[in-house]
Amino acid sequence: MTKTNPGRFFEDYHMGQVICHAVPRTVSGGERALYHALYPVRHALASSDEFARACGLDAAPLDDLIAFHIVFGKTVPDISLNAVANLGYAEGRWLRPVWPGDTIRSESEVIGLKQNSNGKTGVVWVRTRGLNQSGEAVMEYVRWVMVRKRDLDAPAPKTVVPELAEAVDAADLVVPNGLNFSRYDFELAGENHRWGDYEIGEKIDHVDGVTIEESEHMLATRLWQNTAKVHFDATNREDGKRLIYGGHVISMARALSFNGLANAQMMVALNAGAHANPCFSGDTVRAWSEVLDKAETATAGVGAIRLRLVATKGDSSGFGLKGEGGKYVPEVLLDLDYWALMPL
Amino acid sequence: MTKTNPGRFFEDYHMGQVICHAVPRTVSGGERALYHALYPVRHALASSDEFARACGLDAAPLDDLIAFHIVFGKTVPDISLNAVANLGYAEGRWLRPVWPGDTIRSESEVIGLKQNSNGKTGVVWVRTRGLNQSGEAVMEYVRWVMVRKRDLDAPAPKTVVPELAEAVDAADLVVPNGLNFSRYDFELAGENHRWGDYEIGEKIDHVDGVTIEESEHMLATRLWQNTAKVHFDATNREDGKRLIYGGHVISMARALSFNGLANAQMMVALNAGAHANPCFSGDTVRAWSEVLDKAETATAGVGAIRLRLVATKGDSSGFGLKGEGGKYVPEVLLDLDYWALMPL
Amino acid sequence: MTKTNPGRFFEDYHMGQVICHAVPRTVSGGERALYHALYPVRHALASSDEFARACGLDAAPLDDLIAFHIVFGKTVPDISLNAVANLGYAEGRWLRPVWPGDTIRSESEVIGLKQNSNGKTGVVWVRTRGLNQSGEAVMEYVRWVMVRKRDLDAPAPKTVVPELAEAVDAADLVVPNGLNFSRYDFELAGENHRWGDYEIGEKIDHVDGVTIEESEHMLATRLWQNTAKVHFDATNREDGKRLIYGGHVISMARALSFNGLANAQMMVALNAGAHANPCFSGDTVRAWSEVLDKAETATAGVGAIRLRLVATKGDSSGFGLKGEGGKYVPEVLLDLDYWALMPL
């Protein structure tokens, strides 16, 4: 009759189950300041109330990935405490900006289950939604994880593998209410390149590197109330290193991508993502991007650009990704596929 | 005629002396965000304005230990700059929540003095109060420290050893104005265990561990404007490690105790506390709790639970505490005795 | 046709050129909390709204160096990305406090150019201004840096070396609107020494030391959106250390100077500054000050004190500064010359 949370095992999930994740969180300028201290963040729309107002918003929203991390962090005790692997993301969309003062909570619905042939683990697909204090969805995404069974004799559930879009259709991207780039100041934004200046297939080396420290990734991961013990407990491994939360690498790479993509102001969709190799303290993270697609949106002047964002602990100027057999090369940490909004 | 503060020595204290501590501090959401980044904090009442409103409060108060650390930190230059040892706490009570925007200052009254038989040191007891901008007390506690004499020939003061309660009487606990658990959402709080589910004598292993880093404990200790140099100056010791502020261990252990005590939402009394052994960077802190007592409060639906909170750098599942002769085992870092409020 | 910012080279500057620096920034209590966690800051005016109101201000302004760092940080991508050395500061003045909610941006005017005789580098002088959302200047300063040429064949510009004041004239110091020390509470401020208690030539050892950590200086430097890669990328050097942003040492020394200069509440001018030797993680920073000058201001009761602030990684009690030939001794990290306001 232990009182601590052992986490859910594979047999604890069933199709259609809706899990209300614990510990809602009210955010303030404090979360933004910390985010800007943890990552070299510079996209102007999330940095300046004045810049955001000139773009038709009431004030600077919190960085899109703050919303993602908060929504994701709440799911960890229910979804991935006993996860063996975080297998993928799909159909992620930012639906509404998060502002200082908002209170965010998360809920997930089980949309797929498949026991592995070894009988010891299974894959669980969940669609997670983040909601604000008015019950409005701020973001949603599908994630699937491999989870251990507690009882190997528990019967396998009926296999349901959800059909997931390879990428969010550009027509389904949500442009925040009021967003308008007609008075966009490219000088204050930091670069002159607009949507029309990027070509599909173009690759950009973001040049800069940041060496990762234990205390920084732990500060970040705790800030999102993500409690997965592998990130905090050095006694888990002989070398005393802690496995770094994949989201830390996502945020670092996205921030580094400012240099070359300063006008890709808002992330609006998360099409796919793979944490290709683990990241540890001492690694120096660099990033490169590839333009995968472009689309106009229903809002005049607002373009959408689909980007592959790759984080590497090696050289970023060679655009290394996969080796023979399609396997990620060991230096690649992250392969993320997202849509962002940019002035046409 | 040096202008720097040499701190007070034993002969600088006299019975009834009231010391107004320097540097009042206005707090904001920034302090909360940092606190949540430094510790794996998840108690919902201090995390979510919406959850707090459902519990009858105007908004989420700052975490109770933020109030403690700020009040305590201000006393360091006057009370413990020349302290040899921090001997104990008693009769601590949280009297009123601290909200973003509040300005906190501290004052202490000397309530006990006893020169040690060696003639070189003495024990000073002070009752410290934290006050907000309206002059209302937000917390109070008694602390006693061993302090060096500057002048060994200074006459010993009359010995006064204050009579201190072993624990705060449950009848003296202050339930915050308006607190009401009738609409308490256990799912959002993270656990189903209510006051009635805990038994006196019950022990809970909080399972998780966090490895301590130099920069994190320094960030925390500076945030409370605690200036004791042992926490910051690596040249004090041959191994370059810094002695970690005992309050860092208190906050870490309290945050870890969420796992099993998620509904022990507010700390309302600090009955006693011992920093059993020093904590250093690299230690992995775990925690366990023991239910020492239970009581109802004057507020319907609000129960009080008295807990021993033990932080250890060893295994927490064995509930190790003291060895032969009643001495703390070397792994134990903290033995804290407090009252918390919980839904009945 | 690379899209990333290569930075400006010497031949990209011309006299009278005005550069509008990118990424305006809105500040909140979050920046203040982080600043107080990163440095042992205790000056009461920037810590407490109540103390600031008693001094005639509407609320506590952000620490003066937060304004400096934000204004400075924005200039890095345009001024010092290809800098070989940061040569000096002059004629710096704080013109208006920065409050939570303000949005700050920076612009610089080129006021001097001089190609070096080697033909490979040149010195650029810029006057930088920080502006708030109303277009009001919050601070200004002159900085000069040595910058590489991209094209060694580019013609040398006409040499213009600006005449710079050795120190800001006391008559030009700007006392913030409303500042009034008639109800100044020395007990809450932490020390009794007023303007009249300091003598020109007096030296003060600030006693305390803080050992620097990689993650802390990186958090600080990123917080100011300073992107100079030498601060973040450990692969730049064989020992894996990162060169610490000089401003980190300025803030650390200023915070340490509270002990002896607690009433030097506001920095109002930056007369000169030299980063005498590089600072690295593991160095223990100490500070000492020398009173260089004193002056009354146009505001009754508000005195100005001109201070040399020296940061050292050695012993601060010997007041070491320069050795034979007038060269800084290797332990000295910073030699800063500033004016502060203090109760008469």
Side-chain angles (χ1 to χ4, degrees):
Chain A
M1 220 185 63
T2 177
K3 288 213 164 54
T4 51
N5 173 24
R8 280 180 173 77
F9 292 84
F10 182 65
E11 64 265 36
D12 297 326
Y13 297 95
H14 55 266
M15 280 296 296
Q17 182 180 8
V18 175
I19 302 169
C20 166
H21 305 297
V23 194
R25 166 76 163 279
T26 304
V27 292
S28 76
E31 277 76 9
R32 175 187 286 151
L34 260 166
Y35 193 74
H36 289 224
L38 288 162
Y39 308 105
V41 171
R42 286 187 287 154
H43 286 93
L45 198 70
S47 175
S48 163
D49 283 348
E50 301 299 317
F51 192 95
R53 282 184 198 121
C55 293
L57 304 181
D58 289 337
L62 294 185
D63 301 79
D64 311 302
L65 287 171
I66 293 182
F68 172 73
H69 292 311
I70 290 181
V71 172
F72 181 97
K74 305 209 165 316
T75 71
V76 168
D78 296 312
I79 304 297
S80 44
L81 214 59
N82 297 305
V84 182
N86 196 17
L87 299 173
Y89 305 98
E91 299 188 358
R93 290 191 304 162
W94 280 264
L95 300 168
R96 187 178 292 265
V98 173
W99 316 91
D102 280 358
T103 300
I104 306 301
R105 61 187 178 86
S106 303
E107 58 182 39
S108 297
E109 182 181 351
V110 178
I111 61 163
L113 288 173
K114 178 174 180 296
Q115 182 165 311
N116 287 326
S117 55
N118 64 15
K120 294 179 180 167
T121 55
V123 179
V124 180
W125 284 259
V126 293
R127 187 179 304 272
T128 295
R129 277 188 196 84
L131 303 163
N132 67 16
Q133 66 279 6
S134 307
E136 300 162 331
V138 297
M139 87 168 298
E140 62 175 14
Y141 62 86
V142 171
R143 174 163 79 118
W144 55 109
V145 293
M146 191 186 302
V147 182
R148 274 180 287 135
K149 293 182 76 170
R150 179 179 37 221
D151 172 11
L152 300 191
D153 296 331
K158 188 181 157 211
T159 292
V160 179
V161 176
E163 268 187 61
L164 297 170
E166 196 209 345
V168 173
D169 193 287
D172 294 331
L173 301 177
V174 177
V175 176
N177 248 340
L179 192 74
N180 178 346
F181 288 148
S182 60
R183 294 194 292 145
Y184 191 90
D185 186 327
F186 286 88
E187 197 169 31
L188 284 180
E191 290 180 355
N192 290 320
H193 325 306
R194 46 175 75 230
W195 184 84
D197 297 327
Y198 291 88
E199 285 178 31
I200 295 176
E202 179 177 355
K203 290 181 180 176
I204 302 161
D205 170 17
H206 300 301
V207 178
D208 300 315
V210 173
T211 306
I212 305 285
E213 296 290 319
E214 294 286 12
S215 55
E216 292 182 359
H217 78 79
M218 292 199 296
L219 286 169
T221 309
R222 274 192 297 252
L223 185 57
W224 319 125
Q225 300 177 314
N226 176 338
T227 60
K229 66 187 72 174
V230 291
H231 308 317
F232 301 106
D233 183 346
T235 64
N236 268 330
R237 293 169 52 97
E238 287 213 350
D239 61 8
K241 287 190 173 182
R242 281 136 265 182
L243 184 65
I244 289 174
Y245 163 48
H248 191 63
V249 179
I250 295 177
S251 277
M252 191 61 82
R254 161 74 177 154
L256 288 168
S257 79
F258 175 91
N259 199 349
L261 284 166
N263 297 314
Q265 290 286 357
M266 303 193 89
M267 298 177 80
V268 283
L270 179 59
N271 299 310
H275 299 292
N277 286 290
C279 179
F280 295 104
S281 169
D283 289 347
T284 297
V285 175
R286 294 167 204 282
W288 61 268
S289 293
E290 178 182 359
V291 180
L292 296 178
D293 201 358
K294 291 172 65 178
E296 300 202 25
T297 71
T299 303
V302 177
I305 185 166
R306 186 179 158 200
L307 295 157
R308 157 174 280 156
L309 172 62
V310 176
T312 174
K313 57 183 176 181
D315 173 30
S316 54
S317 66
F319 305 112
L321 188 65
K322 294 181 177 176
E324 307 221 344
K327 233 188 118 186
Y328 286 108
V329 296
E331 293 77 34
V332 168
L333 303 170
L334 171 76
D335 181 11
L336 198 79
D337 179 340
Y338 71 104
W339 281 104
L341 300 182
M342 194 178 248
L344 268 191
Chain B
M1 220 184 63
T2 176
K3 288 211 164 58
T4 51
N5 173 25
R8 280 179 171 78
F9 292 84
F10 182 65
E11 63 267 36
D12 297 326
Y13 297 95
H14 56 265
M15 281 295 297
Q17 183 180 8
V18 174
I19 301 169
C20 165
H21 305 297
V23 194
R25 166 77 163 277
T26 304
V27 292
S28 77
E31 278 76 8
R32 175 186 285 150
L34 260 165
Y35 193 74
H36 288 225
L38 288 162
Y39 308 105
V41 171
R42 284 186 288 155
H43 287 94
L45 199 68
S47 175
S48 163
D49 283 348
E50 302 299 317
F51 192 95
R53 281 184 200 122
C55 292
L57 304 181
D58 288 338
L62 294 186
D63 300 80
D64 310 303
L65 287 171
I66 292 181
F68 172 75
H69 292 309
I70 290 180
V71 171
F72 181 99
K74 307 209 164 315
T75 71
V76 167
D78 296 311
I79 305 298
S80 42
L81 214 58
N82 298 304
V84 183
N86 196 16
L87 298 172
Y89 305 98
E91 299 187 359
R93 290 192 304 163
W94 279 264
L95 301 168
R96 188 177 292 267
V98 173
W99 316 91
D102 280 358
T103 300
I104 306 300
R105 60 188 180 87
S106 302
E107 58 182 38
S108 297
E109 182 181 351
V110 178
I111 61 165
L113 287 171
K114 181 175 178 295
Q115 183 166 312
N116 287 327
S117 53
N118 63 14
K120 295 180 180 166
T121 56
V123 179
V124 181
W125 283 259
V126 293
R127 187 180 303 273
T128 296
R129 278 187 196 83
L131 302 162
N132 67 17
Q133 65 280 7
S134 307
E136 300 162 331
V138 297
M139 84 167 302
E140 62 174 16
Y141 61 87
V142 172
R143 174 163 80 119
W144 55 110
V145 292
M146 190 185 303
V147 181
R148 275 180 285 135
K149 292 183 76 169
R150 177 178 38 218
D151 172 10
L152 299 190
D153 296 332
K158 187 180 157 216
T159 292
V160 179
V161 176
E163 268 188 59
L164 296 170
E166 196 210 343
V168 173
D169 194 286
D172 293 331
L173 301 177
V174 177
V175 177
N177 248 340
L179 191 74
N180 177 345
F181 287 149
S182 62
R183 292 194 294 146
Y184 191 91
D185 185 327
F186 286 88
E187 197 169 30
L188 284 180
E191 289 180 355
N192 290 319
H193 326 305
R194 45 175 77 230
W195 184 84
D197 297 326
Y198 291 87
E199 285 179 31
I200 295 175
E202 180 177 355
K203 290 179 181 176
I204 301 160
D205 170 17
H206 299 301
V207 178
D208 300 316
V210 173
T211 306
I212 305 284
E213 297 289 318
E214 294 286 13
S215 57
E216 291 181 1
H217 77 80
M218 292 200 296
L219 287 169
T221 309
R222 273 191 297 252
L223 185 58
W224 320 126
Q225 300 177 314
N226 176 336
T227 61
K229 65 187 73 174
V230 291
H231 307 318
F232 301 106
D233 184 346
T235 65
N236 269 329
R237 294 168 51 97
E238 288 213 352
D239 61 7
K241 286 189 173 183
R242 281 136 265 183
L243 184 66
I244 290 175
Y245 164 47
H248 192 63
V249 179
I250 294 177
S251 277
M252 191 60 82
R254 162 73 176 155
L256 287 169
S257 79
F258 175 92
N259 198 350
L261 285 164
N263 297 314
Q265 290 284 359
M266 302 193 88
M267 298 179 80
V268 284
L270 180 59
N271 298 311
H275 299 292
N277 287 290
C279 179
F280 294 103
S281 168
D283 289 347
T284 297
V285 176
R286 295 168 202 282
W288 60 268
S289 294
E290 178 182 359
V291 180
L292 296 178
D293 201 357
K294 292 172 63 179
E296 301 204 22
T297 72
T299 302
V302 177
I305 185 166
R306 185 178 159 202
L307 295 157
R308 157 174 281 155
L309 172 62
V310 176
T312 175
K313 57 183 174 180
D315 174 30
S316 54
S317 67
F319 304 112
L321 188 64
K322 294 179 177 175
E324 306 223 344
K327 232 187 118 185
Y328 286 108
V329 296
E331 292 77 34
V332 169
L333 303 170
L334 171 78
D335 181 11
L336 197 81
D337 179 338
Y338 71 103
W339 282 104
L341 300 182
M342 193 178 248
L344 267 189
Chain C
M1 222 183 61
T2 176
K3 287 211 165 56
T4 52
N5 173 24
R8 279 179 173 77
F9 292 84
F10 182 64
E11 63 267 35
D12 297 327
Y13 297 95
H14 56 265
M15 280 296 296
Q17 182 180 10
V18 174
I19 301 170
C20 165
H21 305 298
V23 195
R25 166 77 163 276
T26 304
V27 292
S28 76
E31 277 77 9
R32 175 186 286 148
L34 259 165
Y35 193 75
H36 289 225
L38 288 162
Y39 309 106
V41 172
R42 284 188 288 153
H43 287 93
L45 199 69
S47 174
S48 163
D49 283 347
E50 301 298 317
F51 192 94
R53 281 182 200 124
C55 292
L57 304 181
D58 289 338
L62 293 187
D63 300 81
D64 311 303
L65 287 171
I66 293 181
F68 172 74
H69 292 310
I70 290 180
V71 172
F72 181 99
K74 304 207 166 316
T75 71
V76 168
D78 295 312
I79 305 298
S80 43
L81 213 59
N82 297 305
V84 182
N86 196 16
L87 298 171
Y89 305 98
E91 299 187 358
R93 291 191 304 162
W94 279 263
L95 301 168
R96 188 179 292 268
V98 173
W99 316 91
D102 280 358
T103 300
I104 306 301
R105 61 189 178 86
S106 303
E107 58 182 39
S108 297
E109 182 181 350
V110 178
I111 61 164
L113 287 172
K114 179 176 180 295
Q115 182 164 314
N116 287 325
S117 54
N118 63 14
K120 295 180 179 165
T121 56
V123 178
V124 181
W125 283 259
V126 293
R127 189 179 304 272
T128 296
R129 278 187 196 86
L131 303 163
N132 67 17
Q133 65 280 5
S134 308
E136 301 162 331
V138 298
M139 86 168 299
E140 61 175 17
Y141 63 86
V142 172
R143 173 162 81 116
W144 57 108
V145 293
M146 190 186 302
V147 182
R148 275 180 284 135
K149 291 181 77 170
R150 179 180 34 221
D151 171 12
L152 299 190
D153 296 330
K158 187 179 156 214
T159 292
V160 179
V161 176
E163 269 187 60
L164 297 169
E166 196 209 344
V168 173
D169 194 286
D172 293 331
L173 301 176
V174 177
V175 177
N177 248 341
L179 191 74
N180 178 345
F181 287 149
S182 61
R183 292 194 293 147
Y184 191 90
D185 185 326
F186 286 87
E187 196 168 31
L188 284 180
E191 289 179 356
N192 290 320
H193 325 306
R194 46 174 77 230
W195 184 83
D197 296 327
Y198 291 88
E199 285 179 31
I200 295 175
E202 179 176 355
K203 290 180 180 174
I204 301 161
D205 171 17
H206 301 301
V207 179
D208 301 315
V210 173
T211 306
I212 304 285
E213 297 289 318
E214 295 287 11
S215 58
E216 292 182 358
H217 77 80
M218 292 200 295
L219 287 170
T221 308
R222 273 192 296 252
L223 185 57
W224 319 126
Q225 299 177 315
N226 176 336
T227 60
K229 64 188 74 174
V230 291
H231 307 318
F232 300 107
D233 183 346
T235 65
N236 269 329
R237 293 169 52 96
E238 286 214 352
D239 61 8
K241 287 189 173 183
R242 281 137 267 182
L243 185 65
I244 289 174
Y245 163 49
H248 191 63
V249 179
I250 295 177
S251 277
M252 190 61 82
R254 162 73 177 156
L256 287 168
S257 79
F258 175 92
N259 199 349
L261 285 165
N263 297 314
Q265 289 285 358
M266 302 193 90
M267 299 178 80
V268 283
L270 180 60
N271 299 311
H275 299 292
N277 286 290
C279 180
F280 294 104
S281 169
D283 289 347
T284 297
V285 175
R286 294 167 204 284
W288 60 269
S289 294
E290 178 183 0
V291 181
L292 296 178
D293 201 357
K294 292 172 63 179
E296 300 203 25
T297 73
T299 303
V302 176
I305 185 166
R306 186 178 158 201
L307 295 157
R308 158 174 278 155
L309 172 61
V310 176
T312 175
K313 57 183 175 179
D315 173 30
S316 54
S317 66
F319 304 112
L321 188 64
K322 294 180 177 175
E324 306 220 346
K327 232 188 117 186
Y328 287 108
V329 295
E331 293 76 35
V332 168
L333 302 170
L334 172 77
D335 181 12
L336 197 80
D337 179 339
Y338 72 102
W339 282 103
L341 300 182
M342 193 179 249
L344 268 190

